[in-house]
Amino acid sequence: IESCFGDIKHNMGFRRFHLRGLKKVETEFSLVAMAHNLRKLQIKQEKTAV
């Protein structure tokens, strides 16, 4: 699980939350996690297409 956070921080440049409040932070991180998963999916599809 730590590799996901490292990937998000290093490769996606996500270092801090821009919103305040637990619900807003949960929403912001959900969007970041979705972007991370979509990126992984695209990389996987590119590898199988070649």
Side-chain angles (χ1 to χ4, degrees):
I1 206 160
E2 291 177 10
S3 63
C4 294
F5 293 122
D7 186 43
I8 288 171
K9 286 177 72 174
H10 182 73
N11 296 331
M12 296 177 64
F14 185 79
R15 297 286 183 186
R16 64 176 64 171
F17 292 99
H18 298 287
L19 303 172
R20 291 182 179 218
L22 183 59
K23 188 67 175 170
K24 291 178 184 177
V25 168
E26 287 174 350
T27 303
E28 186 176 0
F29 189 74
S30 294
L31 290 171
V32 171
M34 281 190 271
H36 172 73
N37 289 328
L38 287 171
R39 184 174 162 269
K40 283 175 48 178
L41 182 63
Q42 181 181 1
I43 291 170
K44 184 177 179 180
Q45 287 178 346
E46 288 175 355
K47 286 182 181 180
T48 58
V50 173

